[in-house]
Amino acid sequence: MKILSTSLLFLAALALPVTTPVAQSQDLRTHPLLRPPIANAGQKVVSRVQPTPQAPAAAPVTATGLFRGFTGLTQRDQRYANNGNQFGTVPPDQGLAVGNGLIVEAINSALSVYDTNGVQQPHLPSSGPSYATQYPLALTQFFGLPSAFNRANTTGTPNGTCGPDDPFDPVAIFDPETQRWFVAAVAIDAKPNCTSKKSSKLYIAVSQTADPTGAYYIYTVNTTDGADPDGNGPRFLDYPKIGLDHNVVVVTGNEFTLPAENYSDAAIYVFSKSTLEAGPTGTITAAEVIRKPFVTGFEFTLLPQMAPPGTAYLTSNGGTLYLASSNAGFNTSCSLAVWALVGTSTPGTATLKGPAVVNTQCYNEPSQAVIQQDGFRILSPLETIDPGDDRMGGQNIVFTNSQLMCTLATEVTDSGGNQIMAAAWFVLHPTISGGTLAATLTTQGIIALDNQTSFLRPAIAFNTQLFGDVVGAQVGPNDFPSAAFVPFNGFTPGSVVIARAGDEPLDEFEGSPARYGDYSAAMVDSDNSIWMGTENVRDISRGSASNWNTYLLRNQQNH
């Protein structure tokens, strides 16, 4: 979920619900980080001590033939895309897809395509969904929608008029099997005066060829659910994630009611992959929608699988696609859940098995904000950073070599007794025997720093050779928000590598704690290299509402 701003007149202490009219002098909308209501669920926290960090900090390194990176999209890029007919947006909510040496980056309000040297590729508007001539595109342009905020039309508000939809929380994935690119985002429908229509949509774009700069089929899915099968009324899909197998594309997310934004359920929208790839553009319905109300604590943020190139999609049980979730008790939890969508060969009748609960190392809900190094800023005072929560991290879990790899944020205690953020990682082995889903723990670990330094917003990827990376941000009293990663050889982690050190503190309009992330992303290219994207703060041209940028980096260990 994103926070939006279009001016600096009111910069902090504002948290308007989506149904609140926008005061014309402030021109500001906010979306909170949404979670289920929890009443002290989970085990009592006794100790958060992690006495010996498994991945000690390493000094910044110079790029080599194996590791390099470049600055991706920035808050300024997305604010001024589409001639500035956009909202300023924080945080970026990193979306990333890679394939055949090309990278698609999608953030909350913009999208771009790069080659492996960081060169933005030419856009092909004659055959694409957009009238823009070059990247970055506004997401509204990419999905063929009116502008999010038309500044020349003041009939809606004195500052401009809201478009019917402003897509957010974009996700992306490349299918090595069919050589197609998928981008999805969600939207809450808006009136011209920027209040909610109490309806919502899911947008899915599917490339018509292997070229991500060319034409896409654009699909619109009504996610309001007027039929209201569970009695929860109109809703919207938040925190969407995308996964696929040989048969289906799934978009998962957390459903919240409109306009109250109460948690409803975890939802899985299932689509026939061949149908999406065939076109034409238009309004469609999902082959089926599976909803899981919040009962066990695992029915929240179900991350679907990403199978790296060279991994065969499972055909057993009529086609199987795995998902995983943490226990959203928002306290201390010591287990994960594996789910399996089976029967995917017949989209529309697939069934969800699970949760298969696996006992693991304990992980902790963050209890306090993260401190950052002070430096040049224009929106004083120095802000702390929101550490997020302990839901599954990144865009996807990874399925390869019969194993599931996943990561999430956890709070631990450093050697000085300070609470810091770290990354817990897990490798799980799922099986289905006699129609029963089960899973066991293969290995696990913690990536932790020291001296009040946190590792934020982890995401994970592994290739078929079991080389992997966990990407995130290193932040602390002596660290501006910096892009960082930990390489894995097999399931053995190396040291934390600062891929691109930050230059300034995060400096945003909404005040402390400033939103960060909300997630990083990691994907595997066809040459087995791993591409990662995460938030970073460089000393470059900024937007008025924030100074964040993304950083995209490549690591290849298997030479």
Side-chain angles (χ1 to χ4, degrees):
M1 184 61 88
K2 63 181 177 180
I3 301 176
L4 310 100
S5 170
T6 54
S7 78
L8 283 174
L9 298 179
F10 283 76
L11 296 172
L14 292 169
L16 307 179
V18 294
T19 53
T20 302
V22 178
Q24 308 315 324
S25 61
Q26 70 206 40
D27 196 11
L28 172 68
R29 298 190 302 176
T30 68
H31 290 293
L33 182 65
L34 299 176
R35 307 187 302 190
I38 303 295
N40 196 30
Q43 175 181 323
K44 181 180 178 181
V45 177
V46 177
S47 174
R48 296 174 185 269
V49 174
Q50 176 64 32
T52 306
Q54 294 193 15
V61 298
T62 302
T64 68
L66 301 182
F67 153 58
R68 64 175 182 271
F70 57 87
T71 297
L73 292 170
T74 70
Q75 198 272 345
R76 182 180 176 86
D77 286 337
Q78 57 85 25
R79 169 61 181 83
Y80 292 104
N82 192 18
N83 298 313
N85 290 304
Q86 293 264 89
F87 290 98
T89 306
V90 299
D93 290 351
Q94 183 75 65
L96 187 69
V98 298
N100 301 333
L102 292 173
I103 302 104
V104 171
E105 181 185 21
I107 60 172
N108 251 324
S109 300
L111 179 144
S112 193
V113 180
Y114 310 89
D115 67 13
T116 56
N117 293 314
V119 177
Q120 284 188 339
Q121 299 301 286
H123 183 233
L124 305 177
S126 60
S127 59
S130 167
Y131 52 84
T133 58
Q134 63 184 25
Y135 294 106
L137 302 180
L139 283 185
T140 49
Q141 292 175 301
F142 178 73
F143 287 113
L145 302 172
S147 299
F149 192 71
N150 187 337
R151 298 174 185 279
N153 181 351
T154 58
T155 59
T157 79
N159 290 335
T161 299
C162 271
D165 289 305
D166 182 17
F168 62 88
D169 285 7
V171 288
I173 195 168
F174 175 72
D175 183 15
E177 181 182 65
T178 62
Q179 298 286 293
R180 293 296 181 268
W181 301 79
F182 297 81
V183 180
V186 293
I188 300 172
D189 300 333
K191 299 176 183 179
N193 68 352
C194 302
T195 59
S196 170
K197 285 184 177 180
K198 301 179 185 178
S199 58
S200 63
K201 294 186 178 71
L202 165 66
Y203 291 100
I204 302 176
V206 185
S207 68
Q208 296 181 23
T209 69
D211 182 2
T213 69
Y216 284 75
Y217 297 121
I218 306 295
Y219 300 101
T220 305
V221 184
N222 189 330
T223 53
T224 313
D225 199 7
D228 194 18
D230 52 17
N232 286 336
R235 69 204 65 201
F236 69 97
L237 194 66
D238 185 45
Y239 217 81
K241 304 298 174 187
I242 191 168
L244 47 78
D245 73 354
H246 178 71
N247 307 298
V248 299
V249 176
V250 300
V251 177
T252 69
N254 303 315
E255 290 192 318
F256 291 84
T257 62
L258 283 170
E261 296 184 353
N262 295 320
Y263 186 68
S264 177
D265 48 55
I268 304 173
Y269 283 73
V270 183
F271 302 90
S272 163
K273 187 169 76 172
S274 60
T275 298
L276 290 181
E277 293 177 345
T281 290
T283 300
I284 62 170
T285 58
E288 61 183 308
V289 181
I290 300 171
R291 291 187 168 93
K292 300 296 291 185
F294 194 74
V295 176
T296 67
F298 294 108
E299 298 87 357
F300 182 66
T301 309
L302 275 62
L303 256 63
Q305 71 178 40
M306 174 273 288
T311 299
Y313 295 127
L314 291 178
T315 58
S316 56
N317 301 289
T320 301
L321 183 150
Y322 286 113
L323 309 93
S325 61
S326 63
N327 190 325
F330 304 115
N331 196 320
T332 294
S333 301
C334 306
S335 57
L336 300 176
V338 173
W339 310 75
L341 186 68
V342 299
T344 63
S345 60
T346 55
T349 61
T351 59
L352 183 67
K353 293 182 177 293
V357 178
V358 183
N359 292 328
T360 66
Q361 63 190 355
C362 294
Y363 49 93
N364 303 298
E365 172 72 5
S367 65
Q368 60 189 46
V370 172
I371 59 175
Q372 59 175 333
Q373 182 177 349
D374 200 358
F376 176 77
R377 46 191 164 82
I378 63 174
L379 305 177
S380 57
L382 177 68
E383 296 168 314
T384 57
I385 293 177
D386 181 359
D389 54 38
D390 59 359
R391 73 183 79 191
M392 279 288 175
Q395 269 200 149
N396 301 87
I397 61 171
V398 181
F399 175 70
T400 190
N401 288 266
S402 301
Q403 305 285 334
L404 294 173
M405 298 79 164
C406 53
T407 185
L408 54 80
T410 182
E411 186 176 84
V412 299
T413 304
D414 69 9
S415 60
N418 305 293
Q419 302 301 297
I420 59 171
M421 292 304 299
W425 57 271
F426 309 85
V427 181
L428 310 174
H429 177 56
T431 58
I432 301 177
S433 178
T436 300
L437 172 67
T440 56
L441 178 67
T442 302
T443 188
Q444 60 188 354
I446 299 284
I447 296 167
L449 297 162
D450 205 351
N451 300 320
Q452 296 181 272
T453 305
S454 288
F455 190 88
L456 293 175
R457 305 296 187 178
I460 193 168
F462 272 80
N463 61 26
T464 55
Q465 298 171 321
L466 296 184
F467 290 98
D469 293 287
V470 171
V471 63
Q474 180 169 320
V475 186
N478 298 307
D479 291 278
F480 299 122
S482 302
F485 71 97
V486 176
F488 280 68
N489 185 343
F491 299 135
T492 301
S495 296
V496 175
V497 178
I498 298 178
R500 200 340 174 153
D503 300 319
E504 299 173 348
L506 182 65
D507 187 34
E508 294 186 344
F509 71 92
E510 86 277 21
S512 291
R515 287 283 289 279
Y516 194 91
D518 279 333
Y519 37 86
S520 304
M523 289 288 182
V524 182
D525 203 350
S526 53
D527 64 356
N528 276 326
S529 62
I530 294 176
W531 280 91
M532 298 163 272
T534 192
E535 188 170 348
N536 184 220
V537 182
R538 293 193 60 188
D539 183 15
I540 55 179
S541 296
R542 60 168 292 163
S544 60
S546 183
N547 60 342
W548 60 257
N549 62 268
T550 63
Y551 194 77
L552 306 182
L553 55 141
R554 173 187 184 269
N555 190 33
Q556 187 164 21
Q557 304 179 68
N558 56 320
H559 280 182

